[in-house]
Amino acid sequence: MVEKKTCEVDLGLDIPKDKKCSRCSGSAVIHLPYANKYMCRKHFYSHVEKKFLDTVREFRMVKKNETVALGLSGGKDSTTLLYMLHKLKLKLPYKLIAITLDLGLECDYNKKILDIAGEQCKKLEIPHHIFKLKEDIGYTLEELVEKTKTRNPCSECGVAKRYILNKHAKELGADKLAIAHNLNDTAQTVLMNILRNEPMRLFRYNEPLLDDSKFVTRIKPFLKLPEREIVMYGKLKGLPLLDKKCCPYSTYAFRSYVREEVENLEEKYPGSMFKILNSFLSMQKIFKENNKEEMKMTYCKKCGEPSGAEICKFCSLLERLS
Ligand code: SF4
Ligand code: ZN
Ligand code: ZN
């Protein structure tokens, strides 16, 4: 049986009550160590919303009249992203839909996040499409982990989720697929790819595969926002964010080790996650300019979807399952 751990986010709520915002005389609700600033609720809202909007603009993530499908798990980050993408519709006319993949986990957490996803979409009147992993590949996540005997459930799960979300987003006519990856996730992914010596995977990260009609361009509007700020924002806005039980497999494997290391680094040297992201973006730009051919994807010989290898990871997962 899988060991269940928690994955709480340290919101740093223990800031002294008399601390004032660095920009006004309001009471501080959060301290941002990397900027050495305290912020009141109002200034914190505008800080988060500006970061989000700047990222959407910088990477031209959403265009007028496009259809954006959000991969909505119902967890903290995607629930907050749903709220912010909904808010974005006030500034830019576009269509937002949500796609939830039910992994079939038999735990309270799974049921709760599915409920949250459904309730929030209903409240914001966003079309919500739910698909079951079992119906797409014939197995729930637990069955998949059992069957593949994997020591790295997140990797297998990630492959399946990526492929299935792309497939359904495409079927639903989406132009973009929004993923709630935050700054912490990005810093972890960059380091993991370096430590695993997977430079091509690294350079393709966050790279929109434009002009490839087979792939719905993935966008990450939280790319520059630390997880802690997303959760704090969502909580202050009264969103139903679960802060304790995560997926039972989340503490497995390499990512959880790297996650801890990145958190320690950030605590000791605030701003490290931004430095990792910015170094990566600069290196990616140089690499892209000099290696246009290498950046192109090939197509899987089995399913015809874009792939970095002859057989895509999803097809090789299906082979192992059959
Ligand atoms: Fe999948 Fe890992 Fe996320 Fe669980 S923690 S849903 S196994 S990627
Ligand atoms: Zn203020
Ligand atoms: Zn394939």
Side-chain angles (χ1 to χ4, degrees), residues 103 105 141 145 153-155 157-158 161 246-251 259:
L103 300 171
L105 286 167
L141 179 56
V145 173
C154 290
S155 164
C157 171
K161 280 198 296 196
C246 283
C247 166
Y249 301 111
S250 65
T251 50
R259 182 188 300 133

Side-chain angles (χ1 to χ4, degrees), residues 3 9 18 29 31 42 49 61 87 97 102 120 126-129 146 153 161 196 198 276 279 297 299 322:
E3 184 194 357
V9 178
D18 57 347
V29 292
H31 176 234
K42 184 182 126 204
E49 286 160 12
M61 289 181 176
K87 226 164 124 74
I97 60 174
D102 177 359
Q120 292 303 297
I126 293 164
H128 188 205
H129 305 268
E146 281 284 303
K161 280 198 296 196
R196 282 177 170 156
E198 295 192 309
I276 293 172
S279 301
M297 297 283 267
Y299 294 92
S322 61

Side-chain angles (χ1 to χ4, degrees), residues 2 10 30 57 68 123 131 208 220 232 306 311:
V2 172
D10 175 21
I30 191 166
R57 285 193 191 115
V68 175
K123 189 169 160 198
F131 299 95
K220 299 184 176 100
M232 186 67 168
I311 305 291

Side-chain angles (χ1 to χ4, degrees), residues 218-246:
R218 294 162 78 88
I219 56 170
K220 299 184 176 100
F222 282 166
L223 186 72
K224 296 190 174 183
L225 273 166
E227 183 182 32
R228 175 175 168 258
E229 291 174 37
I230 295 166
V231 176
M232 186 67 168
Y233 178 90
K235 292 215 160 199
L236 290 172
K237 287 282 180 184
L239 301 177
L241 308 187
L242 295 180
D243 45 18
K244 281 208 172 164
K245 291 274 181 266
C246 283

